[in-house]
C-alpha cells in the first residue's frame, strides 16, 4: 500500500513539473508579446521621433524666420509717412513716386515680387514691383478688420503666392485707414525652405493649413507641380496637428501607416508637417524580435532540461 502511494506521488510530481514549465513558458510568451514587443516598438518610434524632430525643427525655424522678416518689412512699409499720405489721398505726385521707390527698394531687399498700397475700401492706390494675378483681398481684409498683420498663401501650383498684409494707421491714432500687401512666389521664396528629409528614404516635409476637420496641403509633393487635393476629414496631418511637436503613428491619405510630427508656424494658419513611412521606421524590427524570441526559447529549453534532469 505504501509502495502504491509513493508511486502515485512520484507520478504526480512527474506530471507537475512539465506542466509548471509549460505554464511558465506560456506566461513568458504572453508577456513577450504583450509587453516586451510593444515596449521595444514604442522605443523605436520614439527614437525616430527625436531624429525627425531635430531635422524638422531646422525647416520650421527657417520658415518662421522668413515669415517674421517679411512681416517686419511689411510693418515698416506701413509706417512710412509717404505711404500714409498716399492712403489718406493727400499725397502729391512727388510723394507718390517717393513711396513707390521706397517700396521697390524694400521688396528688392526682402526678395519679394510686389507690394500694393490699399485704401480703406480695399482698392489699390499704389503698386510697386511685378504684377500679381492672385487675389489679395482676403489677406488685406483680415488686416483691416483686426488691425493686425495677416499672412496667408493664395493660389495654387506655380501661381501660388505668399501674401503678407499690414494695416496702415493714421498719425493721430485710431483704426486702420488702409493696408499694405507684399507678396512673393511661394515656389521661389517659401517652398525651397521645406527641404526634403534626404536622410530618410520615405521622409517628406509639407506645408499644410487646417480647414475645419480636414487639412489643405499647400506645398506640392516631391516630383509634382501642385499640392495634392487631399481635403479629407480625419487626415493623418489633421491628427498630427492635434499633438504638436509630438511623434504620432497614424494612417495618411494614401492609406500608408506613417510616423508624423507637425509644427505650427507662428503668426500664420500654417503647419510644417514631416512624416516617415512606418515601414521604414520599423525596418528590421520584426526580424530582431524573432531573434530575441528564438533566443528566449533556446534559453528556456536549456533551463527546462536542467530542471527536469535535477528532478529526475
Amino acid at each position: 500500500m505504501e509502495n502504491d502511494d509513493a508511486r502515485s506521488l512520484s507520478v504526480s510530481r512527474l506530471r507537475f513539473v512539465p506542466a509548471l514549465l509549460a505554464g511558465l513558458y506560456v506566461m513568458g510568451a504572453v508577456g513577450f508579446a504583450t509587453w516586451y514587443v510593444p515596449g521595444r516598438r514604442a522605443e523605436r518610434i520614439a527614437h525616430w521621433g527625436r531624429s525627425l524632430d531635430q531635422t524638422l525643427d531646422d525647416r520650421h525655424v527657417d520658415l518662421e524666420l522668413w515669415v517674421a522678416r517679411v512681416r517686419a518689412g511689411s510693418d515698416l512699409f506701413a509706417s512710412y509717412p509717404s505711404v500714409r499720405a498716399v492712403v489718406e489721398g493727400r499725397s502729391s505726385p512727388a510723394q507718390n513716386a517717393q513711396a513707390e521707390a521706397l517700396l521697390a527698394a524694400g521688396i528688392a531687399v526682402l526678395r519679394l515680387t510686389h507690394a500694393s498700397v490699399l485704401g480703406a475700401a480695399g482698392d489699390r492706390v499704389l503698386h510697386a514691383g511685378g504684377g500679381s494675378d492672385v487675389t489679395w483681398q482676403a489677406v488685406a481684409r483680415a488686416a483691416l478688420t483686426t488691425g493686425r498683420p495677416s499672412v496667408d498663401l493664395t493660389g495654387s501650383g506655380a501661381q501660388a503666392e505668399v501674401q503678407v498684409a499690414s494695416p496702415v494707421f493714421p498719425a493721430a491714432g485710431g483704426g486702420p485707414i488702409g493696408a499694405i500687401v507684399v507678396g512673393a512666389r511661394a515656389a521661389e521664396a517659401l517652398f525651397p525652405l521645406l527641404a526634403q528629409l534626404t536622410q530618410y528614404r520615405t521622409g517628406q516635409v509639407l506645408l499644410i493649413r487646417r480647414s475645419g476637420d480636414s487639412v489643405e496641403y499647400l506645398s506640392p509633393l516631391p516630383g509634382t507641380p501642385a499640392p495634392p487635393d487631399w481635403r479629407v476629414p480625419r487626415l493623418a496631418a489633421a491628427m498630427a496637428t492635434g499633438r504638436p511637436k509630438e511623434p504620432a503613428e497614424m494612417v495618411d491619405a494614401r492609406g500608408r501607416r506613417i510616423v508624423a510630427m507637425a509644427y505650427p508656424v507662428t503668426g500664420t494658419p500654417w503647419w510644417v508637417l514631416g512624416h516617415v513611412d512606418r515601414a521604414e521606421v520599423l525596418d528590421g524590427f520584426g526580424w530582431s524580435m524573432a531573434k530575441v524570441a528564438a533566443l528566449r526559447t533556446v534559453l528556456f529549453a536549456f533551463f527546462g532540461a536542467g530542471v527536469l534532469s535535477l528532478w529526475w
Side-chain angles (χ1 to χ4, degrees):
M1 186 66 176
E2 292 180 359
N3 290 337
D4 291 341
D5 291 341
R7 187 179 301 109
S8 176
L9 181 60
S10 177
V11 171
S12 298
R13 288 177 176 176
L14 291 176
R15 290 176 179 173
F16 171 74
V17 173
L20 177 62
L21 291 174
L24 290 175
Y25 182 82
V26 171
M27 290 176 60
V30 171
F32 180 81
T34 60
W35 174 77
Y36 183 82
V37 173
R40 300 292 81 74
R41 182 187 293 113
E43 287 181 1
R44 173 77 71 93
I45 291 174
H47 172 75
W48 275 74
R50 290 190 293 270
S51 174
L52 184 60
D53 175 61
Q54 292 173 358
T55 53
L56 188 60
D57 186 58
D58 293 338
R59 278 73 170 175
H60 175 249
V61 169
D62 289 343
L63 191 60
E64 287 213 328
L65 288 175
W66 186 88
V67 170
R69 185 169 64 250
V70 175
R71 283 184 58 175
S74 179
D75 289 344
L76 178 62
F77 298 158
S79 68
Y80 287 161
S82 56
V83 170
R84 188 180 297 116
V86 170
V87 172
E88 293 174 341
R90 56 179 178 79
S91 59
S92 64
Q95 287 178 310
N96 289 344
Q98 180 186 15
E100 185 176 349
L102 287 172
L103 293 178
I107 62 176
V109 171
L110 293 173
R111 298 182 180 179
L112 305 175
T113 56
H114 60 272
S116 297
V117 179
L118 313 177
D123 52 316
R124 186 158 57 184
V125 295
L126 186 68
H127 181 76
S132 173
D133 298 328
V134 182
T135 178
W136 34 257
Q137 283 88 348
V139 68
R141 189 180 306 114
L144 288 168
T145 303
T146 63
R148 297 191 302 270
S150 177
V151 183
D152 209 348
L153 190 144
T154 56
S156 62
Q159 301 302 318
E161 288 194 6
V162 187
Q163 304 282 352
V164 179
S166 294
V168 177
F169 296 97
I177 57 174
I180 184 163
V181 179
V182 298
R185 294 184 183 89
E188 298 174 1
L190 193 67
F191 296 156
L193 300 177
L194 304 171
Q196 295 306 308
L197 306 175
T198 55
Q199 62 270 55
Y200 309 115
R201 298 193 310 272
T202 59
Q204 292 183 351
V205 181
L206 298 166
L207 191 67
I208 62 175
R209 175 172 55 201
R210 298 193 72 176
S211 178
D213 292 332
S214 63
V215 161
E216 180 183 3
Y217 283 76
L218 303 177
S219 60
L221 292 169
T224 61
D229 189 18
W230 287 347
R231 305 189 186 193
V232 210
R234 298 162 70 177
L235 202 59
M239 297 171 64
T241 53
R243 302 174 59 189
K245 300 186 180 181
E246 290 184 22
E249 187 178 349
M250 61 199 68
V251 179
D252 71 359
R254 302 166 297 172
R256 297 182 184 176
R257 296 196 66 85
I258 60 172
V259 175
M261 296 183 70
Y263 283 75
V265 181
T266 304
T268 77
W270 306 332
W271 294 73
V272 178
L273 172 71
H275 63 79
V276 181
D277 284 4
R278 180 177 178 270
E280 181 178 355
V281 173
L282 297 179
D283 185 27
F285 179 77
W287 174 241
S288 65
M289 290 298 98
K291 290 191 293 184
V292 172
L295 178 61
R296 171 188 168 277
T297 301
V298 170
L299 292 176
F300 192 85
F302 279 112
F303 169 75
V307 170
L308 290 175
S309 66
L310 292 175
W311 192 263
W312 267 283

